[in-house]
Amino acid sequence: MSNIYDYKAIEAKWQGRWDKSGVFRVERDRQKKKFYLLEMFPYPSGKLHVGHLRNYAIGDAIARRKRMQGFNVLHPIGWDSFGMPAENAAIANKSHPYKWTSNNIDEMRSQFKMIGISYDWEREVATSHPGYYKWTQWIFARMFDEGIAYRKKSFVNWCATCVTVLANEQVIDGLCWRCDNKVEQQERDGWFLKITDYAEDLLKGLKQLEGDWPLRVLTMQKNWIGKSFGAQVDFKIEGGGDITVFTTRPDTLYGATFMALAPEHPLSRKLACGTELAEGVENFIRKTVSQNTIERSAEGVEKEGVFTGRYAVNPLNNELIPIWIANFVLIEYGSGAIMSVPAHDQRDFEFARKYDLQIRVVIAEDKKSVEESPEELALDGDALVEAYTGDGLMVNSGPFNGLDNRKEGMAKVAEYLKEKGIGERTINYRLRDWGVSRQRYWGAPIPIIYCDKCGPVRAPDDQLPVILPTNVEFPESGLSPIAGLDSFIDTICPKCGGPGRRETDTMDTFICSSWYFNRYTSARLKTALADREDVDYWMPVDQYVGGIEHAILHLLYARFFTKFLNNIGAVSVNEPFRRLLTQGMVIKDGAKMSKSKGNVVPLDGIVRKFGADATRLFILFAAPPERDLEWSDAGIEGSFRFLNRVYRLVEGNIESIKKGAEVTEGAPGKIGEMPKDLAIIVRATHKTIAKVTSDFDRFQFNTAIASVMEFLNTLTAYKFKDDPLSCAVLREAVEYIALLLQPFTPHFSSEIWEMIGHTEPVTDELWPVANDACLKDEEVLIVVQVNGKLRGKFSASPDVSKEEMEKLAFADEKVKGFIGDKPVRKVIVVPGKLVNVVI
C-alpha cells in the first residue's frame, strides 16, 4: 500500500463502482420519507469551469447527507438544451444545433461523472428531445384551450443580433440578456401567456415561502409583480372619445394639469392625425419606440415629449388639460396613459418645467399656515423647486378641501368617481403578460395551425409532438430556416380539413425550464407529462439550488406554470420549490468567472491536477454558500494537502486502526473509564460530529469543513499507543472523519472507509450522531469578577453547583485581595461559567 494519495486511480475506481451498482438510482417508496434535491437546469455549453461547479457541489453535498439521514433522495439531472447559443454556434461553424448540442451534452455528462455528482442518470432528460417537448407543447395546448395562451400585436423587445423577441425580464439595463447588445422596440404579432391572470396567486404564494426562500428573492418577485391600489378614471377628449388612466393618488386629481400617453398608445398617432402637428408627433413616436423601455424609464433620463394638439377634460373640475406624448410613460403599465400632477410627482414636475406647463398644488405640506390663512389656498406652484410627494392637507380640491389624511382623501375621491360614473377603485399590477414567440429555429415549435376559415387552431394531442425539422439549412441572414420551409409549414387544418399553415415561431426556452422538475419524476413516461402517483410523491422540490440571477425570470415562470398545472389537475402542488438556496458567484481577477470575461478556470484541468474531491472541498470551504467566492490557487492546494494529511494518518496507522475493530463495540464511549488523554480525543471526536451536524443543518459548509480540519490537527498531534483501547479510539475518530467528509469528498471517504476494513460502502452508512455523554468537558473554566472586572479563574466539574462555585470563588487568594474588608452586597452566579461579586 502506498502512502501517496493517488486521487486519479481512487476517483476512477469509485466512479466505476457507483455506475455499475446504480447506487443513486431511486424509485417511489411510500415507506420512506422523500427528499427531492435539484440544482437549476444546466444549459449544455460544452465545458464546465470551476464557477459552474459551485452550484453542483453544494447540491451534491446536501443530497448525499440527506441519503445518510435515511431519506429516499431524488437527485436528477438533465439539459436545458434548446436556445440561441446552439443556433448561433451552428451558423458560425456551418454545423447543426442538434449536433452541437449533442456533443456538448456528451462532454458535460462525462464531466459531471468525473467530479462524482450523485445523479440518478436513468432520469436524464433534454428539452430538445421530442419525447420532452411533446409535453411542453401539450402544456401550451392546454393554455390555449383555457384562454391563457393568446396572440396579439404589440410592441416588443427586439434583439437584432439574436434576431428574436425578448421578454421584459430578459432585457437587462437595456441590453439582451444573452448577447449584451442593445434591444430595440418593434411592433409585431406574437403569442402571449396570461401570467397576469395569476398575479394575485403569485403574490399570495410568496407568503408560504417566507423563511424558506431568501428575503431578497421574495422582495424581487413582489416588486416585479408590483401590486398597486388606486383608481381608474375616465377623461373625456374634447371633440369626442375618452382616455382611461390608472392612478395610485386619486386624491391629487384636482392637480392634474396635463395628460401623457405612451408613444405606443393606440391614440398617440390618431390624436394628431391630419393636423400640422402630425409629422412632429410621428417623428417623436418613431424615435422613442426605437429605444427600449428600460432606458426610457430609468432615473435621470431626460424627460421628452410632444404635444398632440388635443385636450382632455378633467372630470372633477371640468378644466381642459393638454394631451402630450411622453417618453417616460410605458404602455406596459396601467393603460399606457397617465394623468400628470406635476406638483406631486417628480417626473411630471420635471416634464412640466421643461415644457412650461401649469403646476397646481393640491396637497399642502404646512397645514398650520393653511389653517391660519385660508385665503392663501392658491399656494403658488411656480415657487416649487421639486414635487412634494408626502402627506398633507387637501387644498385647491373643491369639496375635498381640508381632508388631512391621504387614505381618507383617496377613499372620498374614489367614492365620488364611482357615484358620478367616471371611475372606480381598482388594483393594478406591474406584471405584464409574457411574450413567448421567438423567431428562431432551435426551440420547441408552437403547436398552432392557421386556417383562413377557422383562424388559429391548436394541434390535436394525437398529433403531438409537432416535430422540429432537422433537414434544414441556415440562411446567412440569421432568420429561422423553418420560416420558409414549405414541407414544415403546409399542413391540414385539424378543425375543417382545409389547407393550414403551421406557426413558424418557436417558444421562449424559459417555457421548457418552467416545468422540467415534474418530468424528472417520470422521465420515461410516454402517456403523460408525469405519472400522477410519482409526481404527487416527489413534488414539491424540497431543496432548490441556483443563482440569484434567476430570481425573477426562471423562478417566477416556474411558479406560474405550477399554478396552472395545479388548476387543470395535472399536479397537486401549487408551489414548485419548498426551499431555495441561492449561491454566490465565483470571482476571479475581480470579476464573475465567465467565458465572456476570459477569466475561467477549466474544471477538467483542475481535476487532473488536484482531483475531484480536492476541488469540491475547496469550493465548499472557501466561503459560505450564499457569499461570493474568490478563486485561489493557493486555496485549492491547501485542500489537496488536507486530504493528503488524512490519507497519511490512515495509511500510516492502518494496522492499529484495523486492530481497533477487535475491541468491544462502544468501548470508546465509556469515557469515564479511560485515561484522560484518550478521553480528550473521544470528546474532540464527538464535539466535531456535533459541530459539523449543526453547521450542515444551516448549510455552513465552510465552518463544517474547518471543524474536521481542526480535529485532524488534534489527532496528528497525539501519539497513539498500540494498546487495544487506543486503537479503538483512533479507529472511531477515522471512521467519523470518513463519514463527515462523505458529502464533500465522496471518492476519498469511500476509499479510506474501505482501507480500514469495511466491506459495505460508505454510501450505505447513516450520518453519525454525537454521544451526549462525550460532549461534556471533564472540567470547565469558571471566571470570577469583582464589580464586573476579571479578578480570577478556577476549574471545576461541568455540573458544579452554584453554592460550590461561590465557595471556590471566595477561596481564591487574588479575589480575596480585591474584596478586602469591603462588605459584599450581592453575588451573581452563572452556572458553569461565571461568579460576579458586587461590593
Side-chain angles (χ1 to χ4, degrees):
M1 184 180 292
S2 170
N3 64 355
I4 297 174
Y5 167 43
D6 186 357
Y7 59 86
K8 291 181 180 179
I10 289 170
E11 289 172 2
K13 166 186 169 181
W14 288 102
Q15 288 162 17
R17 287 195 188 180
W18 294 335
D19 193 49
K20 184 177 180 180
S21 67
V23 63
F24 305 122
R25 287 199 294 268
V26 66
E27 297 295 337
R28 182 178 77 238
D29 184 350
R30 295 285 180 186
Q31 304 305 311
K32 297 180 72 175
K33 189 175 181 181
K34 68 93 179 181
F35 190 87
Y36 188 174
L37 185 287
L38 189 62
E39 301 99 4
M40 289 185 183
F41 221 7
Y43 182 81
S45 56
K47 287 279 188 181
L48 292 172
H49 56 70
V50 295
H52 294 131
L53 175 62
R54 194 176 193 195
N55 184 37
Y56 307 107
I58 290 170
D60 196 48
I62 298 170
R64 286 177 176 274
R65 198 236 180 172
K66 284 294 180 181
R67 194 174 286 110
M68 294 177 77
Q69 290 179 304
F71 286 87
N72 193 28
V73 177
L74 173 59
H75 188 199
I77 186 63
W79 315 101
D80 192 9
S81 50
F82 270 140
M84 289 183 285
E87 190 168 342
N88 291 341
I91 294 170
N93 299 310
K94 301 187 184 311
S95 180
H96 193 287
Y98 175 80
K99 182 179 180 181
W100 186 87
T101 301
S102 297
N103 290 340
N104 285 354
I105 288 174
D106 290 343
E107 175 70 27
M108 289 180 67
R109 185 189 298 113
S110 68
Q111 288 183 305
F112 277 129
K113 290 186 176 183
M114 173 188 70
I115 56 178
I117 305 296
S118 60
Y119 290 134
D120 180 351
W121 285 101
E122 292 194 355
R123 294 176 183 267
E124 182 182 8
V125 301
T127 60
S128 55
H129 190 284
Y132 183 93
Y133 69 72
K134 170 182 179 177
W135 300 106
T136 303
Q137 293 173 343
W138 182 88
I139 295 171
F140 186 94
R142 290 300 173 278
M143 288 185 164
F144 180 85
D145 293 345
E146 298 292 326
I148 298 298
Y150 68 98
R151 186 171 173 83
K152 71 171 182 177
K153 186 180 289 290
S154 68
F155 281 89
V156 295
N157 303 304
W158 178 257
C159 177
T161 304
C162 296
V163 198
T164 193
V165 170
L166 302 175
N168 289 337
E169 297 88 340
Q170 294 167 318
V171 180
I172 301 171
D173 296 329
L175 304 178
C176 172
W177 75 294
R178 279 286 191 193
C179 69
D180 282 340
N181 287 319
K182 188 173 181 178
V183 174
E184 301 175 346
Q185 292 285 296
Q186 283 193 9
E187 191 172 26
R188 286 178 169 268
D189 283 315
W191 287 94
F192 286 77
L193 301 183
K194 282 188 183 177
I195 190 173
T196 51
D197 279 9
Y198 287 79
E200 193 60 33
D201 283 346
L202 289 166
L203 269 180
K204 289 179 179 176
L206 295 177
K207 284 285 185 185
Q208 72 185 72
L209 301 175
E210 289 178 1
D212 293 322
W213 280 36
L215 179 60
R216 180 183 174 193
V217 175
L218 296 175
T219 301
M220 290 168 74
Q221 291 219 354
K222 183 178 179 181
N223 291 342
W224 189 262
I225 296 167
K227 185 176 184 178
S228 301
F229 295 90
Q232 183 175 291
V233 188
D234 297 325
F235 285 72
K236 296 294 182 184
I237 301 173
E238 185 185 32
D242 52 35
I243 300 173
T244 300
V245 305
F246 170 79
T247 176
T248 58
R249 293 294 305 274
D251 56 324
T252 65
L253 194 49
Y254 277 88
T257 58
F258 66 97
M259 298 198 73
L261 306 180
E264 302 90 344
H265 194 286
L267 289 175
S268 290
R269 284 185 171 88
K270 292 180 182 177
L271 290 175
C273 186
T275 73
E276 60 184 14
L277 298 176
E279 184 178 354
V281 166
E282 181 63 28
N283 290 339
F284 177 79
I285 291 173
R286 288 189 178 186
K287 182 188 81 168
T288 308
V289 299
S290 68
Q291 304 166 350
N292 67 73
T293 56
I294 308 297
E295 285 181 337
R296 282 164 47 190
S297 60
E299 192 172 336
V301 171
E302 184 180 0
K303 309 299 181 287
E304 295 181 333
V306 64
F307 180 42
T308 65
R310 301 288 295 277
Y311 293 83
V313 180
N314 186 316
L316 292 191
N317 58 19
N318 292 317
E319 287 184 356
L320 291 179
I321 58 176
I323 304 172
W324 286 68
I325 301 169
N327 65 341
F328 63 86
V329 184
L330 305 180
I331 193 66
E332 292 91 355
Y333 185 76
S335 62
I338 65 170
M339 64 174 217
S340 295
V341 185
H344 305 294
D345 182 279
Q346 188 61 28
R347 290 181 314 170
D348 296 347
F349 178 84
E350 293 171 11
F351 192 89
R353 278 281 188 261
K354 180 173 181 177
Y355 294 104
D356 197 23
L357 298 170
Q358 183 184 6
I359 299 175
R360 177 186 296 129
V361 174
V362 293
I363 303 293
E365 179 179 6
D366 187 351
K367 299 179 185 178
K368 185 176 180 182
S369 65
V370 173
E371 291 166 355
E372 291 176 352
S373 307
E375 70 279 0
E376 297 180 10
L377 286 184
L379 297 172
D380 186 10
D382 292 337
L384 293 177
V385 294
E386 64 180 5
Y388 174 63
T389 59
D391 288 337
L393 194 72
M394 288 184 70
V395 296
N396 292 324
S397 298
F400 305 103
N401 280 343
L403 293 175
D404 63 354
N405 179 286
R406 177 188 291 195
K407 190 173 181 181
E408 182 184 6
M410 292 171 63
K412 293 282 188 184
V413 174
E415 287 172 12
Y416 181 82
L417 293 172
K418 185 174 183 180
E419 181 184 324
K420 297 298 182 182
I422 52 177
E424 61 181 349
R425 289 189 189 187
T426 189
I427 295 172
N428 190 64
Y429 296 92
R430 179 178 181 267
L431 183 67
R432 300 291 91 189
D433 283 345
W434 175 12
V436 296
S437 292
R438 298 293 178 266
Q439 293 68 47
R440 298 305 297 250
Y441 163 72
W442 193 237
I446 295 175
I448 294 293
I449 297 164
Y450 296 102
C451 172
D452 291 339
K453 180 180 178 182
C454 306
V457 181
R458 64 100 156 171
D461 290 353
D462 60 7
Q463 292 182 20
L464 299 180
V466 174
I467 296 291
L468 183 69
T470 55
N471 57 332
V472 296
E473 294 183 4
F474 290 87
E476 293 183 4
S477 64
L479 293 174
S480 169
I482 61 173
L485 189 65
D486 292 340
S487 60
F488 173 75
I489 296 170
D490 296 336
T491 187
I492 303 298
C493 172
K495 201 168 185 180
C496 70
R501 304 176 308 282
R502 290 197 188 279
E503 172 64 79
T504 58
D505 284 355
T506 54
M507 296 186 212
D508 181 359
T509 54
F510 274 98
I511 288 182
C512 302
S513 59
S514 294
W515 71 276
Y516 76 107
F517 34 86
N518 295 300
R519 188 61 180 170
Y520 282 139
T521 68
S522 314
R524 301 293 173 261
L525 189 66
K526 295 182 178 181
T527 56
L529 67 82
D531 176 84
R532 189 55 191 266
E533 283 194 54
D534 283 340
V535 78
D536 284 353
Y537 173 74
W538 289 114
M539 285 296 291
V541 173
D542 295 286
Q543 183 66 62
Y544 204 34
V545 183
I548 190 70
E549 65 271 19
H550 299 294
I552 294 174
L553 287 157
H554 164 59
L555 292 173
L556 188 66
Y557 295 156
R559 295 181 60 230
F560 161 48
F561 263 59
T562 299
K563 291 179 185 301
F564 173 77
L565 292 173
N566 175 270
N567 283 353
I568 65 171
V571 301
S572 60
V573 299
N574 61 14
E575 287 291 342
F577 313 120
R578 179 174 283 129
R579 285 181 293 274
L580 174 68
L581 188 159
T582 53
Q583 86 276 358
M585 298 181 292
V586 176
I587 306 296
K588 186 174 184 289
D589 303 330
K592 175 185 176 181
M593 191 177 287
S594 68
K595 292 178 183 176
S596 64
K597 299 278 194 310
N599 63 347
V600 300
V601 177
L603 181 61
D604 51 4
I606 289 294
V607 170
R608 279 196 298 270
K609 186 174 182 181
F610 296 105
D613 282 342
T615 307
R616 289 167 60 127
L617 190 69
F618 168 73
I619 287 290
L620 295 169
F621 173 64
E626 70 279 1
R627 302 255 185 99
D628 289 348
L629 180 158
E630 186 76 34
W631 174 258
S632 164
D633 292 340
I636 193 167
E637 288 169 2
S639 294
F640 182 68
R641 286 196 301 271
F642 166 71
L643 293 181
N644 274 279
R645 287 181 63 209
V646 176
Y647 191 86
R648 288 196 298 271
L649 171 70
V650 175
E651 197 278 336
N653 295 277
I654 193 66
E655 295 305 322
S656 296
I657 293 170
K658 288 182 176 180
K659 187 186 295 184
E662 301 170 8
V663 179
T664 305
E665 186 177 350
K670 299 175 182 177
I671 195 164
E673 304 172 13
M674 63 178 60
K676 187 174 182 178
D677 55 348
L678 285 180
I680 290 173
I681 298 297
V682 172
R683 287 194 180 91
T685 300
H686 288 269
K687 284 183 177 181
T688 301
I689 295 170
K691 179 67 164 58
V692 173
T693 299
S694 174
D695 288 347
F696 213 127
D697 287 344
R698 296 176 291 116
F699 297 156
Q700 297 302 301
F701 308 122
N702 57 321
T703 53
I705 293 167
S707 296
V708 181
M709 291 178 171
E710 291 170 12
F711 180 49
L712 178 65
N713 291 337
T714 300
L715 287 182
T716 54
Y718 183 75
K719 301 299 182 183
F720 282 93
K721 299 174 183 177
D722 200 37
D723 62 277
L725 187 58
S726 295
C727 292
V729 168
L730 176 58
R731 180 180 181 82
E732 180 188 60
V734 169
E735 284 180 332
Y736 284 140
I737 286 178
L739 292 170
L740 294 174
L741 286 180
Q742 201 272 135
F744 309 124
T745 57
H747 314 84
F748 180 82
S749 296
S750 295
E751 183 68 12
I752 62 174
W753 187 256
E754 185 177 75
M755 283 172 63
I756 64 178
H758 288 286
T759 56
E760 296 299 319
V762 73
T763 49
D764 290 348
E765 295 297 313
L766 292 177
W767 184 257
V769 178
N771 185 330
D772 288 341
C774 299
L775 297 178
K776 294 180 181 179
D777 288 319
E778 189 173 4
E779 289 186 337
V780 293
L781 185 65
I782 308 295
V783 171
V784 183
Q785 297 176 339
V786 177
N787 289 348
K789 294 184 179 180
L790 178 64
R791 299 305 187 194
K793 300 176 184 177
F794 63 87
S795 296
S797 168
D799 54 0
V800 62
S801 67
K802 286 186 176 183
E803 293 76 14
E804 185 65 17
M805 285 175 64
E806 188 173 333
K807 181 179 176 181
L808 290 169
F810 280 106
D812 188 286
E813 292 298 326
K814 288 183 180 179
V815 175
K816 285 180 181 179
F818 281 106
I819 295 175
D821 297 330
K822 300 179 183 71
V824 175
R825 295 167 53 200
K826 188 195 303 186
V827 179
I828 301 169
V829 178
V830 180
K833 293 184 178 180
L834 174 145
V835 177
N836 184 19
V837 181
V838 181
I839 58 176

